[in-house]
Amino acid sequence: MTSTEQLEEMIAVCRELGAEVEYHPEYGHFTAMVWEGWDQSHDEGKALSIQEQIYQRTAQYPRLVCYRFDPFSTLVYAV
């Protein structure tokens, strides 16, 4: 499986988990954000739970790396 295919599978996983995904195929990465919007309170526990699931699933793909910026933002990129 190519790194692009792996990224696309992880994008689907992130969306299923409820994350907002912004994909940049030209750079081989995407960001996943978990938040309810600017006018909502932020549930850090929910965000951390989703982020941990993204991290664990990404580890199953040998060409992908997961970087956690903060509880709400995650970067997944191909190496």
Side-chain angles (χ1 to χ4, degrees):
M1 178 181 297
T2 69
S3 57
T4 299
E5 291 169 332
Q6 291 178 15
L7 279 172
E8 290 171 354
E9 282 192 14
M10 275 308 301
I11 288 169
V13 167
C14 292
R15 288 185 175 143
E16 288 173 10
L17 293 171
E20 182 178 316
V21 176
E22 188 168 324
Y23 182 33
H24 299 278
E26 67 275 18
Y27 301 116
H29 75 269
F30 69 87
T31 54
M33 293 184 59
V34 178
W35 67 308
E36 303 299 324
W38 295 109
D39 59 340
Q40 303 289 322
S41 62
H42 302 296
D43 185 348
E44 189 171 323
K46 177 183 173 185
L48 282 169
S49 174
I50 291 171
Q51 186 179 66
E52 183 61 28
Q53 291 176 68
I54 293 169
Y55 181 78
Q56 290 176 3
R57 294 288 296 271
T58 302
Q60 297 175 15
Y61 295 94
R63 295 183 175 158
L64 301 185
V65 176
C66 181
Y67 181 79
R68 298 180 264 193
F69 291 110
D70 58 45
F72 303 96
S73 305
T74 307
L75 171 69
V76 177
Y77 61 93
V79 292

